[in-house]
Amino acid sequence: LLFLWSITVSIFGIGGLLGSSGSRYLTVKFGKKKCLLCNNVLMIAAASIMGCSKIAQSFEMILIGRFMCGISAGLCVPLHHQYVGEISPKKLRGFANSTSSFFWSLGKAIGQISGQRELLGTQSLWPMLMASCGLPALVQLITLPFFPESPPYLLMHKGDQEGCKKAIRQLWGEGHHQADIDDIMKEKATMKNTKILSVLELMREPAFRWQLCMIVILTATVQLCGINAV
């Protein structure tokens, strides 16, 4: 029983590792908006499987649902930050990216509060608690089609300058946006001359060793700050 509980908890992280590892390939091939839409479908499917696990009397459904949730979360973190940053005007880009982290933390807090025994953490309501992760995905699945694809993706990966201009006008309103398009073109030219490193190549590259060590240490110390105890 202890082994099953441990696997149920940790399989979310395994799914997250797989999801985040495949995010770069998927975003380049299909675009950030399409990936987010498909990711929402995956999360809704995972929520439905976990929500029906009690009726089906199957703990395996919880394992499968947690694994799918992990993949969805692993895809969502880089996708969401990139998409929000790229569709925001330059003066609001930093603010938009910081709100992503705020709502990520808020979601965790709401989940922990909802899991109390006075709310949804009861023997009869826990399936609803596990299925509740599908609600934000459903909201995004309904609203996201009204947003355009990321302008940098349209210009840099698809070479669609007219589509890029149309997306910018839809997002930022009518006006002179040539300077923003020029910035994207400069970034595209820079990327052509820049080699994209794999994870192993990044770990072996001496020039990035100290930066990598700092990121690993900072991320690891988050686990020691008391948030898990809280």
Side-chain angles (χ1 to χ4, degrees):
L1 189 61
L2 180 61
F3 175 75
L4 285 175
W5 276 114
S6 303
I7 291 294
T8 303
V9 172
S10 61
I11 202 167
F12 179 88
I14 297 169
L17 178 64
L18 293 174
S20 59
S21 300
S23 62
R24 178 179 168 270
Y25 169 77
L26 293 172
T27 52
V28 171
K29 186 169 180 63
F30 300 107
K32 298 171 180 65
K33 179 183 172 181
K34 286 181 182 178
C35 286
L36 280 170
L37 286 170
C38 293
N39 194 46
N40 292 326
V41 175
L42 179 63
M43 179 61 84
I44 292 169
S48 303
I49 289 170
M50 291 190 295
C52 296
S53 59
K54 186 179 180 182
I55 298 173
Q57 295 183 347
S58 170
F59 72 88
E60 293 90 350
M61 290 176 69
I62 300 177
L63 286 170
I64 294 168
R66 286 274 296 173
F67 181 65
M68 291 170 64
C69 272
I71 294 174
S72 178
L75 283 167
C76 181
V77 173
L79 274 173
H80 185 76
H81 278 282
Q82 289 173 29
Y83 185 71
V84 168
E86 290 177 4
I87 67 172
S88 304
K90 191 178 291 185
K91 60 182 179 181
L92 296 175
R93 200 160 291 163
F95 171 76
N97 278 323
S98 65
T99 56
S100 302
S101 302
F102 168 76
F103 282 108
W104 184 261
S105 302
L106 182 64
K108 285 184 178 180
I110 291 173
Q112 290 173 346
I113 293 167
S114 302
Q116 299 300 308
R117 291 181 180 177
E118 292 79 8
L119 297 173
L120 296 178
T122 63
Q123 190 171 357
S124 59
L125 295 178
W126 67 261
M128 290 179 60
L129 177 66
M130 298 200 76
S132 63
C133 60
L135 183 60
L138 180 62
V139 171
Q140 192 178 68
L141 186 64
I142 294 170
T143 56
L144 194 60
F146 296 99
F147 287 77
E149 181 57 88
S150 160
Y153 173 79
L154 290 171
L155 189 58
M156 293 170 65
H157 296 286
K158 293 294 183 181
D160 185 2
Q161 191 162 346
E162 286 303 315
C164 175
K165 289 179 180 178
K166 183 180 177 182
I168 287 175
R169 285 195 296 268
Q170 184 179 343
L171 290 165
W172 306 342
E174 296 294 335
H176 187 68
H177 302 294
Q178 189 59 42
D180 298 290
I181 295 172
D182 291 340
D183 287 341
I184 298 171
M185 292 299 293
K186 287 177 185 176
E187 185 180 349
K188 182 179 181 179
T190 305
M191 284 182 65
K192 283 184 178 179
N193 301 320
T194 304
K195 183 187 177 185
I196 297 175
L197 301 176
S198 66
V199 176
L200 289 176
E201 288 173 334
L202 180 65
M203 294 174 70
R204 293 171 184 162
E205 182 62 48
F208 300 118
R209 192 153 294 159
W210 279 112
Q211 294 93 318
L212 192 62
C213 287
M214 287 174 65
I215 291 170
V216 170
I217 291 168
L218 284 170
T219 307
T221 50
V222 169
Q223 303 302 318
L224 305 175
C225 73
I227 184 64
N228 291 331
V230 170

